[in-house]
Amino acid sequence: MSHILQTLRNNKPLVIGLVVAPLGLYSGMKIKEWRTTRKVQDVQREVAATATQAPPALSSADKIEEELQGLRGVRETLIRKESMLDQELESIHIKLKRLDEQEATKPSK
């Protein structure tokens, strides 16, 4: 037992690296997850705000056309944001697969 402790004391940088590297990876994944969650919540808030807005009293065809154009713009923006979130989630999924594969190929000690 004392031989193991002595070996660990002599290899402090290695021991620190073995402790810090997984913590850094974990915290990085959590930050990425938090950012993704924030983006999803922001989009959901925008959708809810758009859905709850009461349309103003319209009196002419021009106002109706303007409102329609505005809604089309909002819709396109939301579709783009949804697409970007889908790509980001796919990227996270691929990274998690790679991590799982790396953990599976690591030799067990």
Side-chain angles (χ1 to χ4, degrees), residues 65-102:
E65 186 62 33
E66 269 185 44
E67 184 75 18
L68 185 59
Q69 288 297 329
L71 291 175
R72 284 182 183 147
V74 169
R75 180 178 176 263
E76 290 172 7
T77 302
L78 291 175
I79 288 172
R80 270 188 260 120
K81 286 184 179 181
E82 180 185 19
S83 174
M84 290 187 323
L85 287 173
D86 285 343
Q87 290 173 354
E88 207 168 314
L89 287 173
E90 182 63 28
S91 172
I92 291 171
H93 180 70
I94 289 169
K95 289 176 184 175
L96 288 174
K97 269 183 156 178
R98 286 182 190 154
L99 285 173
D100 289 342
E101 289 171 1
Q102 287 176 354

Side-chain angles (χ1 to χ4, degrees), residues 22-90:
L23 292 175
L25 179 63
Y26 177 77
S27 64
M29 287 173 41
K30 284 297 182 183
I31 289 171
K32 184 72 171 178
E33 180 182 309
W34 176 77
R35 287 181 182 163
T36 304
T37 304
R38 279 287 298 263
K39 287 179 183 179
V40 168
Q41 289 172 349
D42 289 346
V43 170
Q44 288 174 343
R45 269 191 238 112
E46 286 181 24
V47 169
T50 304
T52 58
Q53 290 176 350
L58 301 173
S59 60
S60 71
D62 292 336
K63 287 185 180 179
I64 292 173
E65 186 62 33
E66 269 185 44
E67 184 75 18
L68 185 59
Q69 288 297 329
L71 291 175
R72 284 182 183 147
V74 169
R75 180 178 176 263
E76 290 172 7
T77 302
L78 291 175
I79 288 172
R80 270 188 260 120
K81 286 184 179 181
E82 180 185 19
S83 174
M84 290 187 323
L85 287 173
D86 285 343
Q87 290 173 354
E88 207 168 314
L89 287 173
E90 182 63 28

